[in-house]
Amino acid sequence: MKKSMLILTASFLLLIGSGQLAGAQEAKAEPKAGIAIVDATKNNGGFETGKLDPWAPVCIQVSTMDTGEKYANNVIKVVTDPAFASKSNSYLGLQAAGDPKGKLICARVDLRNIQGIDLEKGRTFVLRWDVRNGDKIFTTPIAEFLALTKAGAVVAKPEALTKENAVADKWVARSVKFVMPDTLKEFDSIHLRIGFATQPTEAGATYQGFVDNITLIQSK
């Protein structure tokens, strides 16, 4: 657990510093559609099962690398409400307590050990998902795609394809292109992480965001 959280911290802080997911770039051209890895029918991309599986919930207080399980306000769950959902009936709600030291927090879901990915069929992946903020907003989206190998983690290079940030009054569609490096020949597993983060934080505050309609497409 400690190792995986440290991997997140290093790679995620790099994304914040580069601005690749914070809306600093113009929209880019997307690759042609290919193999669906996640969508409404694969890996519960629309949360229409009413359950979180096969996604795993993760909340982290970065200043202490605490998973945050002792905080009652850390809640990640699927909600069924057609009037609020971005598409169909259900969506994912993510809620996290502010860090005791006012530093970075994150609330995300992990799709671990994704099955059916063959890098011979393409190293480019396009992630699309809908986001929305609650009243106490997260400032930064999390989107990470990585392979775990015997030597450690290999993080796919992200390139923002859209630039809109999450807002509280409507759903916003985001998309990111990930490219696995040619140097990656063998891997033990591939993982996708989606959610939110924010810093600085207020120790007594509760931050809230929503995710829906996730798709991940593999292409050449």
Side-chain angles (χ1 to χ4, degrees):
M1 178 64 73
K2 290 286 185 180
K3 180 178 179 181
S4 63
M5 287 192 291
L6 288 171
I7 291 170
L8 172 129
T9 305
S11 57
F12 176 62
L13 291 177
L14 177 62
L15 292 180
I16 291 178
S18 64
Q20 292 188 63
L21 296 182
Q25 298 180 344
E26 297 297 324
K28 306 290 185 180
E30 298 188 13
K32 294 181 179 179
I35 304 166
I37 306 299
V38 179
D39 62 16
T41 61
K42 294 182 178 180
N43 286 309
N44 198 22
F47 304 104
E48 293 305 306
T49 64
K51 299 179 180 179
L52 195 54
D53 293 340
W55 301 86
V58 178
C59 286
I60 297 177
Q61 312 280 351
V62 170
S63 69
T64 60
M65 295 312 298
D66 184 348
T67 59
E69 294 173 358
K70 63 184 179 183
Y71 298 95
N73 288 342
N74 288 354
V75 179
I76 298 175
K77 65 179 181 178
V78 175
V79 181
T80 299
D81 182 356
F84 189 86
S86 171
K87 186 176 182 180
S88 299
N89 299 310
S90 299
Y91 61 92
L92 177 68
L94 302 103
Q95 183 174 289
D99 187 275
K101 297 182 179 180
K103 296 188 178 182
L104 187 144
I105 61 169
C106 82
R108 71 173 201 256
V109 287
D110 295 358
L111 184 59
R112 299 167 178 168
N113 195 16
I114 304 172
Q115 300 298 303
I117 293 181
D118 180 357
L119 295 182
E120 293 296 323
K121 297 179 180 178
R123 292 177 177 265
T124 299
F125 298 81
V126 174
L127 171 69
R128 301 181 183 90
W129 75 113
D130 296 340
V131 294
R132 186 168 177 167
N133 257 318
D135 293 331
K136 191 69 174 178
I137 67 171
F138 288 101
T139 57
T140 307
I142 294 173
E144 293 183 309
F145 192 57
L146 64 149
L148 296 184
T149 72
K150 291 180 174 58
V154 176
V155 179
K157 180 181 178 181
E159 178 185 2
L161 299 175
T162 56
K163 63 177 184 176
E164 283 193 85
N165 293 319
V167 293
D169 60 346
K170 66 177 181 178
W171 288 93
V172 173
R174 295 192 63 86
S175 58
V176 177
K177 181 173 72 174
F178 293 106
V179 179
M180 282 293 184
D182 292 338
T183 53
L184 178 63
K185 302 301 181 183
E186 296 181 354
F187 57 86
D188 295 328
S189 57
I190 289 183
H191 305 252
L192 175 65
R193 297 166 172 171
I194 297 177
F196 296 96
T198 195
Q199 71 172 354
T201 58
E202 301 170 24
T206 299
Y207 298 82
Q208 190 176 43
F210 311 101
V211 170
D212 199 0
N213 194 27
I214 301 170
T215 64
L216 180 69
I217 305 296
Q218 180 182 10
S219 63
K220 291 289 187 182

